[in-house]
Amino acid sequence: MTTKPILVLGGTGKTGRRVARGLTELGIPARAASRSATGGQRFDWNDDTTWAPALDGVSGVYVVQFDGGPAGLTRAFAERAVDAGAERLVLLSARGVDTPGYYGEDTAASEGFLDSEAAVRDSGVAWTVLRPGWFAQNFDEGFFNDSVLAGEVRLPAGDGAASWIDVEDIADVAVAALTGDGHAGRTYELSGPAPVTMAEALGLIEQATGRKARYTPLTAAEFVAELVADGVPKAEAELWTAALHPVERGFEQKVSDGVREALGREARSFAEFVTSAAAQGAWTKGPA
């Protein structure tokens, strides 16, 4: 096991901060990097002068790509990481990126992830690709949270279900791949153990907290119009619509075995996520 630092990109994000915590708990120095560098290492995908200081002396990197960045950016970074001595690259990708039509007519996101996957696979060092589905944590610290607190979640997801993946599981797999044996050259598709609809997810939150929120399905056009009216750029609203397309079409119901393959245990259920999040004070703000 390495005692050299491991660079964690997106070190203040949902997965990155948990990866950094997991490494620290193993006694491995975690260099949590972000553009703001609050309490950590500054790293900006758009400023390659920040790359070398972040990579100095590291043994591995947890790579969270720059969404919407130019083609080849992850490849350029991976080459710099290898030149700096990194021996392992673990990439956060996404489920379905290699399936045509998974995200509807939008192909930009899939193309970006596939470009990044090719970059780490071609790096010449040990690599692992993580392909998670939708994060359970979108309900308590992500895109859905404000709507849950407001009492209504309005999405173009139809009656579709998702096998929501607990971000703690993603982080555990990433830490294992960065520090343990048997993960090199693997692509892990990650999901929770069972599909859960939006209405069922909100019902579980209500059972745990008493907070009621209803789910209202929208058309894609209605959803984009509402986000734009709230000040969200249309391009960003359309990206969220594309991301929700596999939920609406039922693609995200699939249960994947990546957590068990990587860790030898079952993935946490959505109910377990809700119980843990509620115990930590999630969904306590706003009207009940």
Side-chain angles (χ1 to χ4, degrees), residues 30-51:
R31 186 176 294 167
S34 65
R35 187 167 57 184
S36 65
T38 302
Q41 175 74 44
R42 182 168 182 267
F43 178 87
D44 188 341
W45 277 108
N46 288 315
D47 180 3
D48 63 4
T49 65
T50 66
W51 296 7

Side-chain angles (χ1 to χ4, degrees), residues 15-277:
T15 65
R17 73 173 187 272
R18 290 173 168 89
V19 171
R21 183 188 66 204
L23 292 169
T24 300
E25 289 173 352
L26 290 177
I28 298 171
R31 186 176 294 167
S34 65
R35 187 167 57 184
S36 65
T38 302
Q41 175 74 44
R42 182 168 182 267
F43 178 87
D44 188 341
W45 277 108
N46 288 315
D47 180 3
D48 63 4
T49 65
T50 66
W51 296 7
L55 288 166
D56 183 39
V58 303
S59 64
V61 185
Y62 176 65
V63 183
V64 178
Q65 73 167 34
F66 177 38
D67 290 338
L73 189 62
T74 302
R75 184 173 296 275
F77 172 77
E79 291 172 353
R80 293 273 292 273
V82 173
D83 289 345
E87 298 173 345
R88 298 192 190 199
L89 301 177
V90 175
L91 172 73
L92 180 68
S93 185
R95 188 157 73 161
V97 295
D98 59 344
T99 303
Y102 197 85
Y103 294 102
E105 297 180 0
D106 183 274
T107 61
S110 293
E111 290 168 356
F113 281 120
L114 290 173
D115 187 61
S116 294
E117 289 188 8
V120 300
R121 290 190 177 110
D122 295 343
S123 65
V125 298
W127 59 266
T128 308
V129 171
L130 311 184
R131 288 181 172 176
W134 268 88
F135 296 177
Q137 274 73 7
N138 275 292
F139 285 89
D140 74 324
E141 57 181 83
F143 184 57
F144 307 151
N145 185 52
D146 288 345
S147 297
V148 173
L149 296 178
E152 183 180 18
V153 179
R154 299 168 61 83
L155 297 171
D159 295 325
S163 52
W164 310 93
I165 177 72
D166 191 320
V167 175
E168 296 287 350
D169 284 337
I170 300 173
D172 285 352
V173 174
V175 169
L178 287 163
T179 62
D181 297 327
H183 306 287
R186 297 294 302 274
T187 297
Y188 292 120
E189 188 172 289
L190 307 174
S191 82
V196 178
T197 67
M198 294 296 304
E200 289 169 342
L202 297 175
L204 288 167
I205 292 172
E206 181 180 351
Q207 290 176 25
T209 66
R211 176 175 293 280
K212 295 181 179 180
R214 68 181 181 275
Y215 167 59
T216 300
L218 301 177
T219 66
E222 289 170 337
F223 179 68
V224 169
E226 288 192 2
L227 288 187
V228 170
D230 288 338
V232 176
K234 186 177 180 181
E236 183 178 340
E238 290 174 342
L239 284 174
W240 279 112
T241 304
L244 286 158
H245 178 78
V247 179
E248 188 269 334
R249 294 299 302 274
F251 301 154
E252 279 291 296
Q253 294 187 58
K254 178 185 176 183
V255 174
S256 302
D257 294 331
V259 172
R260 182 169 62 249
E261 292 172 358
L263 303 177
R265 65 165 174 80
E266 295 302 313
R268 297 178 179 90
S269 69
F270 190 83
E272 289 172 313
F273 151 72
V274 169
T275 298
S276 175

